Amino acid sequence: QLQLVESGGGLVQAGGSLSLSCAASGSIFNINAMGWYRQAPGKQRELVAAITKGGSTNYPDSVKGRFTISRDNAKNTVYLQMNSLKPEDTAVYYCNAVIWVPGKPLYDVWGQGTQVTVSS
């Protein structure tokens, strides 16, 4: 029942900034954690930011200090603020949610993805 819709992708020059949004609708009560992943052509999908239901965040070293994940509970939206962008950040960015429903195993829900392109 949960749906995730990303927005905010686009083209930006190296060193610039971009902000992504992920709007959640449906069974938001069942979200255990949310995150942003990215996948570049020919590469594996990788985690770039995560936030738990309690508000704890985690980032890989590749984006630490440049990317910030945040959440607006009133708007049921999670954000990814990306600063000091590099060409290596070019990828399709996906919003992710880990869902827990009583009596069922945990599972992932994914957004449709939004393209981020960083020019040199």
Side-chain angles (χ1 to χ4, degrees):
Q1 188 175 14
L2 180 71
Q3 292 180 301
L4 304 175
V5 180
E6 302 101 330
S7 62
L11 176 65
V12 65
Q13 290 184 314
S17 298
L18 204 61
S19 182
L20 306 182
S21 298
C22 175
S25 62
S27 302
I28 58 173
F29 179 80
N30 300 122
I31 298 175
N32 182 258
M34 295 188 70
W36 288 94
Y37 289 72
R38 67 186 181 189
Q39 188 166 23
K43 303 292 185 180
Q44 298 292 317
R45 187 173 297 188
E46 63 174 343
L47 177 72
V48 295
I51 185 166
T52 68
K53 192 173 184 178
S56 298
T57 58
N58 187 52
Y59 308 90
D61 289 340
S62 59
V63 307
K64 193 172 296 182
R66 301 189 298 119
F67 290 12
T68 303
I69 188 170
S70 61
R71 182 182 62 219
D72 187 334
N73 290 329
K75 296 181 178 180
N76 298 322
T77 301
V78 65
Y79 305 93
L80 183 67
Q81 179 64 46
M82 303 182 291
N83 299 323
S84 301
L85 283 162
K86 306 173 181 179
E88 307 93 273
D89 296 318
T90 295
V92 177
Y93 283 70
Y94 297 91
C95 185
N96 164 266
V98 179
I99 306 300
W100 178 75
V101 177
K104 302 288 185 179
L106 277 69
Y107 65 94
D108 291 332
V109 173
W110 296 91
Q112 83 286 353
T114 185
Q115 177 71 47
V116 172
T117 303
V118 184
S119 62
S120 60

